[in-house]
Structure formats: C-alpha cells, structure tokens
Amino acid sequence: MILKALYDYYQNHPELPRLGLEKREFKYWIVIRDNGDFVRLENLCRDDQKKRGLFFQVAQSVKRSGKLSWQKANMLWDHYGYVLGYHQLEKDVVAEAKKADLTRLQHQQFIAQLKTLPENLRQLREVRAVLEFYRKGHEAEVFASPEWEECAAVNGCNLTFCLEDQSTPVCSHFAVCEYAGSLADDSADAVYGRCLITGKRTNLCRLMDPVAIPGAKPGTSLVSFQIYKGYDSYGKKNCFNAPMGRDASFACTAALNALLAKDSRNKLQIGDTTFVFWSETPLKSFSLESLMAGIVQNAPQLAGGSCPDWEKISHGNLSDVIAAEDQTVRYYILGLAPNVARISIRFWQTGVVPELLGNIARHYCDMKIDDTPAFPPLSSLLAVSVYEHATENIISSMTEKIFEAILTDGKYPDNLIQFCLRRICEDGAVSPLRASILKAYVNRKSRIEKKQEKEITMIYSPENSDVAYQCGALFAVLVRAQEEAKRTTIAPIKGRYFATASTRPATAFATLLKLNQETLNKLHPGRAVLFEKMLGDLVEKIGSCFPSYLSFQEQGRFCLGYYQRHNLFFEDKKHYESKEA
C-alpha cells in the first residue's frame, strides 16, 4: 500500500523526473568556452545563510559500492574526485596514498566514459567543449580559481560544466537526458514478471533506486533483500523477491525523494525519524503542510480561519471547516528512519482528511485546561517536561510517540507523565502547560483503557470522588492558607512537602494537618473559619484513611486537583473584585 501511494503521487506530479533522470543540487559549476578553455568556477549559491545551490534535471546517479566503485561514473556530472581528480588531504601517509590512487582512477574513469558516449552526443557543441577541456588539461586552472578554496571545503561537492553563453549545464541538455532515459529502458538483460504495484507484466527491477533520508548510508533503498542470508524465496534474489516494474520502482523512489528533498514542506524531522506526508489531491480548505508543521512548531491555523475553527472540529462540525471536495480526500503519513543496512519504516497511516483533523482536534481538546483556547505545539509540551527546558534533554523516541499519538488518537507514552511529574516534584511548579499534559494523559488513558474513572474537567470539580484528585485539592487549600498567613513561622509547605504529599499522602498529610493549626491561628477569624470548612469538606470526601502510595496516574490526578483548586482562589478573588467595582 505504501508503494502504491507513492506511485500514485508520482503519476499526479508530472514535474517529477522521468525514468533514468533525477534532480540534483549544484553549488558550483565550471564555465568553459566552445574550444574547451576554462573561464571561471562559478558559485551558484543564491542564499548566503542556507548555502543552497541550483537544482537541475540530470542523468540518474549510478549505484557504487565496494573496492571497484571507481569504475562507475555519472554522466557529465559527479563529485570533484571524478570531475577534477581532487581529494581532501588525509593526515595518515598510507591513507593519503590510497586516497590519491583512488581519486586518480575515478578521474580517469570519468574521462574514459565521456569518450564512450554515442557519436551524436559527442558531436554536440556542449559535449565537444567538455572533451576539449580534458584534452587540453585545464584542471589545474580550476584549482587556481579564487572560488576553488570554498568549493573544496564542501565535502564531496558535485560539479558539472556550463558553456559561457548558456544558463543550463551540459548534463541537463535535452539530448543527454533522452540518452539517459533510453539506457534506463534498455531491456537487453530484462527479467519480465508481474509488477506488484501496477499489476502489469513488465520489465522487473533487480535493485530499487536509493532513497536519501537523514542519517542513512548512501545507496540505501526502501525495499531491499540481503542475498544468501535466508531472505531469498524460491531461488529468487534481490528485489525479484518482491517484483516491481522498473518504471514503477523508479516512480516510487522519485516520489519519495521529492518528498524528502531539502526544501520540501512535506516532511518533518522528529528525532531520528523523518515523517513525510501528502494528500492524493491538493486540499482546498487548508494546507496539509502548514497543519503538520503547526502541530510541532506553532498552533495550526486553517487557511482563512483561526483557532476557533478547532472548536468546531472538536464538536463534530466538520462541514463548517472542510470544503465538500475535501471530505473524501485521502492523506498519507510515512515515518522513515535509518537502519544498519536499509531503511526502517517506523510509522504508516492513511485515511480521509476529516479523520485526521478529528484526531488532532481531540488532542487539543484533551489538552485544554481552562476556558482560554490554546493549541500548544509539541515543542512547548516537551520543553516543560525536561530539565531547564533544554531541547537537548528531550528524548527523541518520546517525541515520536507523542506525535504518533496525536495523529492516531492513541495513548501518550508513559514516560511523558513520568518526566512531567519529576519536574513538578523538583521545582514544585504546576504550570498551565504541565497541567495540560497531565490532564490529556490521564483522561486519554482512562478513555482508551475503558476505565470507570471520573474524567478531569477544565476547571475544579468538587463532585469528583477520586481520592488522589481531592488530596491535591486539600494540599492546595493548605498552601493557600499558609500564603495568607504571612506571619507564620513554618517553612513554606509547597516546596517542602509537595513531592511527599503527591506520592505518599498518608505520610505527608498527618504532619501537614497538624502544622495547619498554627497557620489558622495567624489568620483573621473569619478566614480561619472559612479554611476550616474547606478542609473539613475535603477530608470528608477523602475519607478517614489517606492513601499510602499513589501511582503515576494518581500522581497526575493529585497535581491536577492541586492546580485547579489553587487557581480557584484567584478566580474567586477576581470575581469579588469585579463585584466591588
């Protein structure tokens, strides 16, 4: 299904390269005259910050591996080892000698391959100029160019040639591309069979073309088989175990490489997993790319709309947000990660767009902690759950699991609440974002596991009979009473007893209720009576016996009870002040 979705993407995007071709970035090219004379080494980077070059359609790169990899060169373009016979110096003398010999062989092979091009190509004005460049030995002039030092500093920099009066490289010439496509269609040693993607009988590919994902080795494919290691089926080797037509295999790879391109908006890097996403047709209602990026970096906004649109979605009002033509459009999300010798598929999800929006809306609904609409990005949620909010302390696997939970309406990872509780116990601060995390985790876990537990609402619920939740509320009342009794000699209980009260209530509250008597004596009699009534009501809800230990989920409920009940004091104060005004 993944391959079929990629194949369909290729068919719907005619701008993608044809069979035998690919788009390649060039940061430098060698400008020459018709007679082969060197003019200059030109820097093609147009953005000084990103250092991005220009992309051109060229003959597809060849697969190279092993000791004899130097025997394969790309057509009229390659890295500076092949094009100019240059290599970066090695510190070790032996390694330097080996590298020099290898580079010399690469350069010789590149020139020899040019001479074997068909006669009609060698007679082209552009190709003839390149052959003249090498016949006259102008490589040394490139090294003397003022741009060479920066070019040599780019590891494995790709180079090609361009005539002085032209704006496209020789390797992108129409005739060169046509010849490269004909080589890919060559059926001299073809193996025919039924393609599992198209269902047609066609020329099958032996090896799938490489895919460039961050962290993967060069030449790694999406589909590959290790021969003679027990993966061969009925005597078949390589990709003949999963037969794909040559054209269909190329289409899948070209589509995936386009989605993975440096400037692509259809990808997100989360940890070591690269997520790519697309829809079968462009969406009219909003941008899928902006939506997915918004989940991670900033609050997603529908095109022409605002945050309240998510309120409509969460209440099932999809028809008010999604255009009629987008109701049945399918979306695809693929998560890829590098493996030892191949690409690992970490995540795959497909469905119709309303399902995706519904899942995301439920995430924000679970996260909502008060009446103010808020759509916290994933980056903010993770920052408040790690030490000093430092991004380097974030575990990448946890990030991936949370992202997947958002997309699938699944459970959040357990280490999310563990990290969040640890930070709360260490600094005693239940911030709104941390409270959002705890509320979402607790409610979603109970919902998915179908536990008969009271759902945590956005504001404090006195009717909630959960003991851990009311223990948190009790601690909030004790803290507030001490805050009002400014003359108390007792050390602040919030920092001193929060960790113990949230994990071992029976141990903490026996002491806290005794200390509270001194606090009440410092208060105005009217306030003291009010606090005594609050405490009495909460102790009655909890019962005569406090829990000896709270699980992680119960600790989350404790923190939510504390956060919501403590905030209620300030809401009451605002209400009172507004009435007085």
Side-chain angles (χ1 to χ4, degrees):
M1 190 172 186
I2 297 175
L3 296 176
K4 181 64 168 64
L6 291 170
Y7 177 79
D8 291 340
Y9 181 88
Y10 179 84
Q11 300 301 320
N12 294 331
H13 291 77
E15 74 277 5
L16 294 179
R18 304 191 313 275
L19 180 64
L21 304 176
E22 67 176 84
K23 283 190 176 180
R24 181 65 64 161
E25 179 187 17
F26 292 95
K27 297 183 178 182
Y28 294 86
W29 64 20
I30 302 168
V31 181
I32 57 177
R33 295 190 177 93
D34 284 0
N35 60 2
D37 288 348
F38 173 74
V39 178
R40 65 183 178 275
L41 179 65
E42 187 172 344
N43 187 342
L44 302 178
C45 296
R46 298 294 181 256
D47 190 330
D48 294 335
Q49 293 181 346
K50 294 184 179 180
K51 297 292 184 182
R52 300 304 311 277
L54 299 180
F55 285 82
F56 296 98
Q57 190 164 260
V58 300
Q60 194 172 11
S61 58
V62 295
K63 282 193 171 185
R64 297 188 286 230
S65 63
K67 296 181 179 179
L68 300 179
S69 62
W70 60 268
Q71 295 181 353
K72 294 182 178 180
N74 293 317
M75 192 182 302
L76 286 163
W77 71 271
D78 218 311
H79 64 71
Y80 45 46
Y82 282 90
V83 177
L84 296 174
Y86 172 82
H87 69 276
Q88 294 180 345
L89 296 176
E90 298 286 343
K91 294 181 180 180
D92 183 73
V93 177
V94 177
E96 169 62 25
K98 289 183 179 180
K99 194 71 172 287
D101 289 340
L102 177 62
T103 305
R104 177 178 52 81
L105 292 172
Q106 290 173 342
H107 187 48
Q108 290 175 355
Q109 178 62 25
F110 186 80
I111 298 173
Q113 186 166 296
L114 290 178
K115 294 178 180 179
T116 61
L117 290 173
E119 180 66 21
N120 63 319
L121 284 185
R122 284 187 281 119
Q123 291 305 317
L124 284 175
R125 171 192 170 209
E126 293 82 359
V127 178
R128 193 168 62 247
V130 174
L131 290 170
E132 281 296 302
F133 172 87
Y134 284 117
R135 189 184 68 81
K136 296 180 178 180
H138 287 311
E139 293 93 329
E141 294 182 37
V142 181
F143 300 146
S145 171
E147 296 283 348
W148 174 247
E149 186 175 350
E150 290 186 5
C151 176
V154 179
N155 188 30
C157 182
N158 288 322
L159 293 173
T160 187
F161 296 88
C162 182
L163 291 188
E164 188 178 20
D165 59 347
Q166 294 184 357
S167 58
T168 56
V170 177
C171 59
S172 296
H173 191 281
F174 174 78
V176 176
C177 291
E178 284 292 313
Y179 175 66
S182 67
L183 291 179
D185 285 331
D186 186 15
S187 57
D189 57 347
V191 175
Y192 287 88
R194 188 75 60 184
C195 173
L196 60 81
I197 300 174
T198 63
K200 300 177 181 178
R201 184 173 176 79
T202 182
N203 179 8
L204 302 179
C205 72
R206 185 179 69 86
L207 296 174
M208 199 173 190
D209 296 323
V211 175
I213 70 167
K217 295 180 179 179
T220 307
S221 303
L222 183 63
V223 178
S224 61
F225 293 84
Q226 192 171 3
I227 60 174
Y228 308 123
K229 297 293 182 180
Y231 299 101
D232 303 322
S233 175
Y234 297 98
K236 297 179 180 178
K237 300 175 183 177
N238 301 122
C239 282
F240 297 132
N241 286 284
M244 293 176 286
R246 182 72 188 88
D247 55 345
S249 170
F250 173 82
C252 293
T253 305
L256 187 53
N257 280 328
L259 294 167
L260 289 165
K262 289 182 179 180
D263 291 329
S264 172
R265 296 180 62 233
N266 294 77
K267 68 172 183 177
L268 285 173
Q269 184 70 35
I270 301 179
D272 64 343
T273 302
T274 303
F275 289 88
V276 292
F277 39 87
W278 68 97
S279 56
E280 58 184 353
T281 58
L283 299 177
K284 308 292 184 184
S285 309
F286 60 93
S287 166
L288 181 63
E289 295 82 4
S290 299
L291 169 69
M292 299 298 288
I295 296 173
V296 179
Q297 297 296 338
N298 46 53
Q301 304 280 331
L302 295 178
S306 57
C307 290
D309 288 325
W310 286 101
E311 296 291 337
K312 295 180 181 179
I313 294 173
S314 64
H315 289 91
N317 301 329
L318 296 176
S319 59
D320 296 340
V321 178
I322 308 175
E325 53 265 44
D326 291 341
Q327 295 282 346
T328 56
V329 173
R330 297 193 68 83
Y331 71 90
Y332 305 94
I333 305 174
L334 177 63
L336 303 172
N339 207 332
V340 177
R342 52 187 57 83
I343 295 173
S344 173
I345 297 176
R346 293 267 184 89
F347 182 79
W348 169 248
Q349 181 181 342
T350 181
V352 292
V353 171
E355 293 175 358
L356 176 64
L357 289 184
N359 290 343
I360 299 171
R362 275 188 288 275
H363 161 72
Y364 290 120
C365 185
D366 287 340
M367 285 281 171
K368 195 172 181 182
I369 196 65
D370 52 35
D371 293 331
T372 304
F375 305 103
L378 181 57
S379 55
S380 299
L381 295 176
L382 290 166
V384 299
S385 62
V386 296
Y387 180 65
E388 292 184 344
H389 295 194
T391 54
E392 59 267 20
N393 294 327
I394 297 174
I395 299 177
S396 59
S397 59
M398 183 174 73
T399 312
E400 296 166 20
K401 293 298 181 184
I402 298 172
F403 186 63
E404 293 173 10
I406 295 171
L407 300 178
T408 62
D409 191 28
K411 285 197 298 186
Y412 300 107
D414 291 334
N415 53 3
L416 174 62
I417 191 172
Q418 293 170 11
F419 274 57
C420 191
L421 289 171
R422 185 182 302 170
R423 297 268 64 83
I424 291 173
C425 288
E426 288 183 0
D427 56 31
V430 186
S431 64
L433 270 180
R434 288 175 178 172
S436 295
I437 293 171
L438 297 176
K439 174 179 174 287
Y441 178 89
V442 169
N443 284 346
R444 183 167 290 200
K445 185 177 177 66
S446 298
R447 185 173 70 240
I448 292 175
E449 296 181 355
K450 295 183 168 63
K451 291 184 178 180
Q452 301 300 318
E453 295 177 343
K454 185 74 173 178
E455 184 176 290
I456 305 295
T457 55
M458 288 189 295
I459 58 175
Y460 175 68
S461 174
E463 296 79 19
N464 194 326
S465 59
D466 185 80
V467 174
Y469 182 78
Q470 296 301 344
C471 282
L474 177 61
F475 189 76
V477 174
L478 292 171
V479 169
R480 184 57 188 167
Q482 190 185 51
E483 288 172 350
E484 290 192 15
K486 298 178 181 178
R487 295 176 296 164
T488 181
T489 58
I490 305 170
I493 62 174
K494 180 182 176 182
R496 187 177 178 185
Y497 287 96
F498 191 97
T500 307
S502 62
T503 54
R504 299 186 298 277
T507 304
F509 282 103
T511 304
L512 288 171
L513 291 173
K514 290 179 182 178
L515 294 174
N516 185 59
Q517 292 304 315
E518 181 182 335
T519 300
L520 295 178
N521 292 336
K522 304 292 184 181
L523 290 171
H524 185 277
R527 293 297 291 174
V529 171
L530 181 60
F531 274 107
E532 283 183 342
K533 186 178 184 306
M534 292 179 189
L535 293 170
D537 291 342
L538 289 169
V539 170
E540 185 179 349
K541 291 175 183 177
I542 295 169
S544 57
C545 185
F546 285 88
S548 58
Y549 176 77
L550 297 181
S551 64
F552 282 122
Q553 184 147 342
E554 290 170 334
Q555 290 175 43
R557 290 178 177 273
F558 177 97
C559 293
L560 287 166
Y562 167 81
Y563 173 82
Q564 293 182 340
R565 186 63 189 86
H566 196 262
N567 281 359
L568 196 59
F569 285 110
F570 299 98
E571 292 298 324
D572 292 341
K573 184 178 179 182
K574 289 178 184 177
H575 178 69
Y576 173 78
E577 290 175 349
S578 64
K579 281 188 75 174
E580 287 293 313

